[in-house]
Amino acid sequence: MFNNELMADVHFIVGPPGAARRVPAHKVGRGLACQPAEATARWLSRGFPVPRVRHPRRAGRVRGSGQLLCHPQYVLAVGSSVFYAMFYGDLAEVKSEIHIPDVEPAAFLILLKYMYSDEIDLEADTVLATLYAAKKYIVPALAKACVTFLETSLEAKNACVLLSQSRLFEEPELTQRCWEVIDAQAEMALRSEGFCEIDWQTLEIIVMREALNAKEAVVFEAVLSWAEAECKRQGLPATPRNKRHVLGPVLYLVRIPTMTLEEFANGAAQSDILTLEETHSIFLWYTAANKPLLNFPLTKRKGLAPQRCHRFQSSAYRSNQWRYRGRCDSIQFAVDRRVFVAGLGLYGSSSGKAEYSVKIELKRLGVVLAQNRTKFVSDGSSSTFSVWFEHPVQVEQDTFYTASAVLDGSELSYFGQEGMTEVQCGKVTFQFQCSSDSTNGTGVQGGQIPELIFYA
């Protein structure tokens, strides 16, 4: 009966004028529908007649006595207290057509399909609109499914938009997931197109955020991009004066004095959004012994403290190993919750100070997610040396990823021993297994890549 004119007793005109769609529905269906006895309360609370009968085919599938309750199919009224009030409340609608201009037609059809059949068919393009519809009509199971869908599709490029929406819909768990992504991958999130689409209040709380893992120059650039987009939304020319106007006090939340002098001189000082007096005062703050008072915060953001998963219980060296010579050391790992891998900890020379060239890489199912080529100098100790990716990489739970390092250096190196297949790091559990990419001897029990550096 879903989206079917047959026996439809109400029609919804869904969507804004000019883009509306006429959707048939059924206040009261024809015939009987049966459900387990635990659903009785919902029917009785609405005043519907609920005759008790035995359903011969499905009795064995129901816990307890196997009794099912059969009732007239009050499809919309039972599925939503809002529809119940609309059709059967004291101020019930008597019109055969009901206009709903604030809900997208596609989202409304997803809502109706769930109410008719318990089937949930979500897509990325319509999930936010569906969440709005589910909230409006108080259909909590569908709203929860929407939030779960959004959490699984959450990444840096959409985290700011979803943060804005999660605040609007009052979904604290989704809000927390958004912050986890934004904090760890702040520079990617701030440079995303979605950042320019957020509302002013969300902009304010992001720029205030102490845990952002971003250079302040990137924060400043993102704020300017948002101001330009907001000027366009308001139909204003994107002049420095108008940008200051739409930003309001948010401009003074950017921690400009924590930039390097070079970053300020090449960026904020030439942006034209600061007044000449502000620019002059900031230059004096950098260079003068008697520093002027500024309206900008002076302390750096704390950011996130990186955590380290160390997979070996000891390290060692021998006279005939460990050599690299450009061969690949690799290990596979999985986690039981989402983390953000920022880099690898590597062993260095076991015979004094030495320099290594290194290429690190992170892959999933053979696809390279991140890599970096650099050099590091080891001091001859058994300490690990950190090599970082350009941006932290989002790693999802219960999926194996491959971390690889190709080092080139003439000196022998330390290597790990007594490797563990499972390591608990705070609230995160890491599992390790050997990688077929490893051609230099690294495995679970020993070798290179002693540490994964991550945020959680």
Side-chain angles (χ1 to χ4, degrees):
M1 299 295 288
F2 164 66
N3 198 23
N4 196 322
E5 289 286 353
L6 182 64
M7 294 188 289
D9 51 7
V10 65
H11 288 81
F12 295 96
I13 310 302
V14 186
R21 178 171 175 177
R22 191 168 188 264
V23 179
H26 306 80
K27 299 183 203 176
V28 182
R30 308 297 189 261
L32 294 177
C34 299
Q35 66 181 23
E38 53 265 27
T40 305
R42 184 170 67 171
W43 292 92
L44 293 178
S45 67
R46 305 271 170 83
F48 294 123
V50 189
R52 183 182 298 272
V53 299
R54 178 86 176 177
H55 194 297
R57 292 186 179 178
R58 295 176 57 187
R61 296 166 58 187
V62 181
R63 290 178 297 175
S65 65
Q67 293 292 319
L68 296 179
L69 299 177
C70 295
H71 49 78
Q73 290 181 319
Y74 296 87
V75 178
L76 300 182
V78 171
S80 162
S81 59
V82 176
F83 281 127
Y84 171 77
M86 184 185 295
F87 298 137
Y88 302 107
D90 294 338
L91 300 175
E93 294 276 1
V94 295
K95 297 178 291 185
S96 61
E97 286 191 351
I98 298 173
H99 290 260
I100 307 176
D102 59 329
V103 176
E104 293 183 10
F108 193 75
L109 286 171
I110 293 171
L111 172 73
L112 288 189
K113 184 176 182 179
Y114 169 72
M115 296 175 70
Y116 275 77
S117 65
D118 280 347
E119 293 181 19
I120 299 177
D121 188 14
L122 298 175
E123 296 180 0
D125 294 340
T126 56
V127 64
L128 282 173
T130 305
L131 178 58
Y132 173 78
K135 288 280 189 175
K136 176 175 180 175
Y137 292 101
I138 313 180
V139 185
L142 180 59
K144 183 177 181 180
C146 290
V147 170
T148 301
F149 183 95
L150 290 170
E151 287 180 353
T152 57
S153 61
L154 181 61
E155 53 188 334
K157 67 180 181 181
N158 62 15
C160 294
V161 171
L162 293 183
L163 175 66
S164 177
Q165 297 297 319
S166 68
R167 294 177 64 248
L168 174 65
F169 295 131
E170 299 180 340
E171 289 289 345
E173 289 186 11
L174 179 58
T175 298
Q176 178 58 33
R177 299 292 181 271
C178 291
W179 278 127
E180 290 173 3
V181 174
I182 293 169
D183 288 342
Q185 298 181 301
E187 294 192 358
M188 296 172 66
L190 294 173
R191 286 171 169 156
S192 67
E193 292 182 6
F195 178 78
C196 294
E197 300 173 6
I198 61 178
D199 60 278
W200 187 90
Q201 288 78 13
T202 303
L203 172 72
E204 181 184 32
I205 62 171
I206 290 177
V207 179
M208 290 175 62
R209 187 78 172 172
E210 188 71 32
L212 287 183
N213 250 10
K215 294 181 179 178
E216 206 61 30
V218 175
V219 177
F220 182 81
E221 292 167 3
V223 166
L224 286 190
S225 297
W226 183 92
E228 184 172 348
E230 182 63 16
C231 284
K232 291 180 181 178
R233 283 191 287 269
Q234 296 188 20
L236 301 171
T239 62
R241 181 175 180 177
N242 286 338
K243 290 179 183 179
R244 286 180 68 98
H245 171 71
V246 299
L247 285 172
V250 166
L251 178 61
Y252 295 100
L253 297 176
V254 182
R255 307 184 186 196
I256 292 177
T258 66
M259 299 179 190
T260 65
L261 176 58
E262 183 180 5
E263 287 173 337
F264 174 71
N266 292 330
Q270 300 184 47
S271 66
D272 294 330
I273 200 169
L274 301 177
T275 65
L276 288 176
E277 182 181 356
E278 288 169 342
T279 302
H280 180 257
S281 296
I282 294 171
F283 269 122
L284 285 178
W285 191 88
Y286 280 113
T287 56
N290 187 17
K291 300 183 184 297
L293 294 175
L294 300 179
N295 292 323
F296 300 92
L298 305 180
T299 56
K300 286 188 175 183
R301 301 176 194 274
K302 294 180 180 179
L304 292 178
Q307 300 181 52
R308 296 173 182 268
C309 175
H310 198 91
R311 67 189 192 91
F312 296 125
Q313 299 180 72
S314 65
S315 61
Y317 68 92
R318 297 174 189 164
S319 59
N320 62 345
Q321 62 178 18
W322 192 273
R323 291 189 184 277
Y324 297 116
R325 297 176 181 174
R327 293 190 291 254
C328 180
D329 289 286
S330 184
I331 193 71
Q332 288 194 330
F333 70 93
V335 292
D336 62 350
R337 57 170 291 183
R338 175 184 288 159
V339 299
F340 302 86
V341 174
L344 307 179
L346 303 176
Y347 288 125
S349 170
S350 59
S351 55
K353 184 177 180 180
E355 182 179 78
Y356 291 92
S357 297
V358 59
K359 172 188 173 184
I360 61 171
E361 195 171 73
L362 189 64
K363 295 191 296 186
R364 178 184 179 183
L365 301 176
V367 177
V368 176
L369 303 178
Q371 62 178 217
N372 188 27
R373 295 177 183 270
T374 187
K375 294 181 179 181
F376 73 91
V377 177
S378 67
D379 58 7
S381 73
S382 60
S383 301
T384 59
F385 299 88
S386 301
V387 182
W388 304 88
F389 293 112
E390 182 179 1
H391 300 290
V393 182
Q394 183 169 312
V395 168
E396 300 295 344
Q397 66 185 39
D398 302 327
T399 301
F400 273 95
Y401 292 76
T402 303
S404 301
V406 178
L407 288 91
D408 197 1
S410 59
E411 299 296 334
L412 294 172
S413 168
Y414 287 92
F415 59 93
Q417 297 183 130
E418 301 178 276
M420 296 172 283
T421 58
E422 184 172 298
V423 180
Q424 185 74 31
C425 296
K427 296 181 180 180
V428 185
T429 301
F430 284 79
Q431 290 185 324
F432 294 95
Q433 67 181 25
C434 294
S435 167
S436 59
D437 292 346
S438 192
T439 58
N440 198 44
T442 288
V444 172
Q445 297 302 318
Q448 205 15 302
I449 315 181
E451 286 181 339
L452 298 176
I453 308 170
F454 68 99
Y455 301 111

